[in-house]
Each structure stands twice: as structure tokens, then as C-alpha cells.
Amino acid sequence: MTVSNAEWQQRKENAIARGQGNVAPVYIDRADNAEMWDVEGKRYIDFGTGIAVCNTGHLHPRVKAAVLSQLERFSHTCVMVTPYDSAVLLAEQLNRLAPGDTPKKSIFVTTGAEAVENCVKIARAYNRRRGVIAFNGGFHGRTQLAMAMTGKITPYKNLFGPFPGEIFHAPFPMAYHGISVQQSLAALDTLFKVDIAPEDVSAIIVEPVQGEGGFYPAPDEFMQALRSLCDQHDIVLIADEIQTGFARTGKFFASEYSGIEPDLMTTAKGMAGGFPLAAVVGKADIMDGALPGGLGGTYGGSPIGCAAALAVIETIEQEQLTAAANRIAARFGELLRALQAKHPDSIGEVRCDRGAMIAIELVQDGDATKPAVELTKAIVAEAYQRGLVLLSCGYYSNVIRFLPALTIDDALIDEGLALFADAMDACLQ
């Protein structure tokens, strides 16, 4: 007998802690590329891809074949005990793809938060310093140190303190909200005078495009200024590419837009086509700052995940998915700007200049200082009713983000955006 979405939701609420909530009471039965079907048989166009995880679409044939082939061999031995070729091959690929010409090395973990925390461990082991600087609105994970670096209280940090010390925050440049690159850099200079001397700072961590913070791209001049600042003071520059990596932004890694070479870089999400895998990739001399045994984890570098990730990289390169991300952005941009012209008081800004990491910011009366939080919630809920998977985000909780599979076709984009337009019209009546 078929169990309905509502029945599963009730069972979920009885069985799973409320802290692990869900956006919509939609329980997926199967998925293919950019479409999903729930347990009741209803079809959805997926503009969320599991939060930028399935960049190559759901169950890409190349990824599926690689995973099945690995399952025929073995599922786990622990890469720190008896390793395997796929982990080495994947590390070699990541080292090749990471921005910059400096020799690279990699380590494997299981989640993005682990990757972030290991970056801090590596940086501190390398330069023997203590302080870490992050940015307002940034999101780096849900573990305790990662939460400390995350620049938003609700819902991520609320009730979970105290947090580790020696973590500092500075404003992130957002032109739409009147925060310039110069103001952000001046705030860093003030921080060096007031809170921590630059020679005590181990690392600065930054998202080349803020994810949960609202899809604000870091201006190229800001990333370049951070690189210069870190070079000046021997600070490790960490690029958090968890959401921006693996062709999502129209480059393999978003740091490429500014032409900088991070010292360390986190990857996860789109890395393995839906299988849990994360990594730290960085300059070899910095990566080797930690002593043997200081880094790792039982499931880090899962052979299933490594096989999937190798297939993802092959797919991105053979199917030219970085170019596809830019094509998708152009199509979304055209249709969303037309919608903005129709609703100028509600859509404050369309952000689509970093590939298929696309967002609109919803406001009241066309005023950037008046976030339309309730409208955002209503549109997301209405979209699900119409068969469209959407996600919201934002420092002010008023941003709708679009993260389609990079393998989506134009017909599905058009159909999905038509559903979105109808949902928005319905909520504005």
C-alpha cells in the first residue's frame, strides 16, 4: 500500500529530531537528471539538486556505472589502513584542477564541515598561529568550529554556544546593500588594530560566492586584495568552494574568476554526484604541515565516493558542463529579468553572473532595506504545490536560489521558470 507524503511526514516528525527539519513534506521515490517523482507519483522539476550536489543530474549514467563497478569490487577498507587506487587517482585530478601552478596535495573527508575544520587544523599546524577570520553572512558548516566561523546566528548557531575562541568576523562586500570592497578591507584593518594582530592570524576563510548568505559573488578586486593581504602577513587564504565547485559557477572552481590561487580549498557537495565525499586541496608545503596521523577519518575517501567523483570530473570535462553552466545562467537571467520588470517592487536584484548559481532577492516596495521574508517563504511553498523544487537562503532570509543540474535542457528550464512565475503571481495577488 502506498504511503502518502503526509503520512511519511508524520512518521518523520515522530522519529527524527525537529532540529533536522525539511523544506517541504515531499518524499522522493525516484529521480532522473533534473526531474523527481514523489511517493504519490507527482513529478517535480528540480531547481535545488540536493543543495548543489547533483551538478551532473540525478543518476548520471557515467556516475551510476562507476559506482556499480566499484560495488562489485569492495565498499570500504579505510583509506588510512589499506588504501586503493581510486583515492590516489582522484587526488591527482583535484591537484590538477585546483587553481594556480603551485604543487598541490589533497586529503579526503566525508562532509563539507569536516573539510573546513581540517583547513583550520592544517593552517594552524603550518604557521603555528591561532586566529581565524571569516565574513558576515558566510556559511561553513554545522560542527562547532565551523559554526563559529559561520556568520549568521539563526538558524545555524542559535542555542549552540559557547563557540571556540579566536574566530573573528568582518563585513562581506555587498554592493546591493551598500557595503563596498573598500569598507570590507577597512574593517579588516580595524580588526587588526582592535582584536588580533595580523601576525597572530592563521587563516582567512572566504566563499568566492556566498552560498547560504544569499549568492553574493565576492568581487574580483576583493579576492585579489585578500590574496595580497595574506601574502603580506603570511596568512593562509582558504577558499570555501563547497557550493561553488565542480563547474557550478561556469568555472571548475569559482576562485578562477579573480585569477587568484588559494592556499587551501574546500570541496564537497557537487564533487561526487550525490555520494558523500569532501576534500581539502592545497599547496603541498602547507598541506604537509600536519604530522602523519593528524588528518583523516574512518569514512573519508570512501571508495564509492571516489569512483563517483572520478566519473563526475570526466562528465564535466567531456560534456563541457562549465560552458553549460553559463548557458543556463544566460537563459535564467533573461527570464528572471523579464519577471523583475513585471514585479519591480518585489524583485530587488537578479544575480546570475556566476554560472548556474543564480538568485533573486525579494524586497518590499523596491527597497533593499526591506527584505520580503514572508513572501519568500510563500513562493517556495507555492512552487512545491505546483511541482517545482526551490530553495531559499540569505543573510536576510529573502533570497530564492536556483541550482539546476548542469545537464538540464532548455525545455525544462522554461517549464520550471513558468511554474515559478505562476507561483510568484499567485503569492502577490
Side-chain angles (χ1 to χ4, degrees):
M1 184 177 68
T2 301
V3 179
S4 69
N5 286 315
E7 289 172 303
W8 277 120
Q9 183 65 20
Q10 184 60 59
R11 289 171 66 172
K12 185 258 185 183
E13 290 172 2
N14 292 338
I16 297 175
R18 65 175 184 169
Q20 193 169 45
N22 51 301
V23 173
V26 172
Y27 285 76
I28 298 303
D29 178 63
R30 61 187 177 92
D32 178 54
N33 195 15
E35 298 171 278
M36 303 191 297
W37 290 262
D38 69 16
V39 293
E40 298 174 3
K42 182 175 180 177
R43 168 183 172 265
Y44 297 82
I45 296 173
D46 187 6
F47 279 0
T49 54
I51 317 183
V53 167
C54 297
N55 289 0
T56 51
H58 295 285
L59 291 180
H60 190 284
R62 190 178 281 112
V63 175
K64 184 177 179 179
V67 167
L68 290 174
S69 176
Q70 179 59 51
L71 274 173
E72 291 292 329
R73 298 170 61 205
F74 59 91
S75 64
H76 176 78
T77 69
C78 188
V79 75
M80 300 183 300
V81 179
T82 50
Y84 28 86
D85 58 359
S86 59
V88 178
L89 291 168
L90 180 56
E92 290 173 343
Q93 289 281 55
L94 293 175
N95 298 341
R96 172 181 69 87
L97 291 163
D101 297 327
T102 307
K104 305 293 194 306
K105 286 191 175 182
S106 296
I107 65 161
F108 295 112
V109 289
T110 310
T111 69
E114 281 183 272
V116 168
E117 296 217 1
N118 275 278
C119 276
V120 175
K121 288 169 60 177
I122 292 165
R124 285 173 169 170
Y126 171 73
N127 58 23
R128 305 294 200 273
R129 298 179 182 181
R130 66 183 195 272
V132 177
I133 297 173
F135 292 93
N136 299 349
F139 178 81
H140 301 292
R142 297 175 187 268
T143 51
Q144 206 71 0
L145 178 57
M147 277 193 296
M149 289 184 278
T150 290
K152 184 180 178 182
I153 295 294
T154 302
Y156 308 114
K157 301 166 75 167
N158 195 23
L159 305 180
F160 297 130
F163 300 105
E166 304 297 343
I167 308 295
F168 306 90
H169 287 87
F172 187 84
M174 300 176 187
Y176 184 62
H177 291 285
I179 304 172
S180 69
V181 169
Q182 291 71 29
Q183 287 170 318
S184 293
L185 295 174
L188 280 172
D189 187 58
T190 299
L191 193 119
F192 289 151
K193 290 180 172 64
V194 173
D195 290 316
I196 186 169
E199 57 267 23
D200 289 328
V201 176
S202 179
I204 294 176
I205 185 167
V206 62
E207 296 166 280
V209 181
Q210 284 200 336
E212 296 295 318
F215 281 34
Y216 301 102
D220 292 343
E221 63 174 304
F222 181 66
M223 295 293 286
Q224 292 160 4
L226 290 182
R227 178 68 278 174
S228 296
L229 186 69
C230 288
D231 288 341
Q232 179 185 352
H233 297 293
D234 295 321
I235 297 169
V236 173
L237 179 60
I238 302 169
D240 185 337
E241 294 260 13
I242 289 168
Q243 192 163 168
T244 55
F246 292 86
R248 171 54 58 186
T249 65
K251 302 282 189 183
F252 211 101
F253 294 109
S255 300
E256 297 173 48
Y257 277 102
S258 57
I260 65 146
E261 180 178 6
D263 296 311
L264 300 174
M265 185 174 68
T266 61
T267 73
K269 288 193 181 291
M271 183 175 178
F275 292 86
L277 184 68
V280 177
V281 189
K283 295 178 179 177
D285 60 332
I286 297 176
M287 292 291 292
D288 281 341
L291 299 175
L295 305 173
T298 301
Y299 291 109
S302 156
I304 306 296
C306 288
L310 286 167
V312 164
I313 292 170
E314 183 182 358
T315 300
I316 290 170
E317 294 187 329
Q318 291 197 3
E319 298 185 15
Q320 299 181 321
L321 294 188
T322 52
N326 290 319
R327 173 187 59 79
I328 290 166
R331 196 165 191 88
F332 266 82
E334 178 184 351
L335 296 171
L336 289 173
R337 289 192 178 100
L339 197 59
Q340 183 183 31
K342 182 180 179 182
H343 301 293
D345 289 342
S346 298
I347 299 179
E349 186 171 61
V350 175
R351 294 192 276 277
C352 59
D353 61 346
R354 286 294 186 265
M357 198 167 176
I358 303 155
I360 61 170
E361 185 153 350
L362 299 174
V363 297
Q364 302 174 55
D365 306 321
D367 188 341
T369 67
K370 297 179 180 179
V373 178
E374 294 306 315
L375 176 62
T376 304
K377 292 178 182 177
I379 291 173
V380 170
E382 181 68 23
Y384 278 92
Q385 293 294 320
R386 294 170 182 268
L388 178 65
V389 173
L390 285 181
L391 300 169
S392 62
C393 64
Y395 187 74
Y396 303 99
S397 301
N398 66 321
V399 173
I400 292 177
R401 50 180 161 171
F402 303 90
L403 291 162
L406 305 183
T407 48
I408 193 171
D409 61 34
D410 287 348
L412 272 182
I413 292 174
D414 294 351
E415 183 184 354
L417 284 175
L419 292 172
F420 176 74
D422 289 344
M424 188 165 187
D425 286 344
C427 292
L428 285 171
Q429 286 179 354

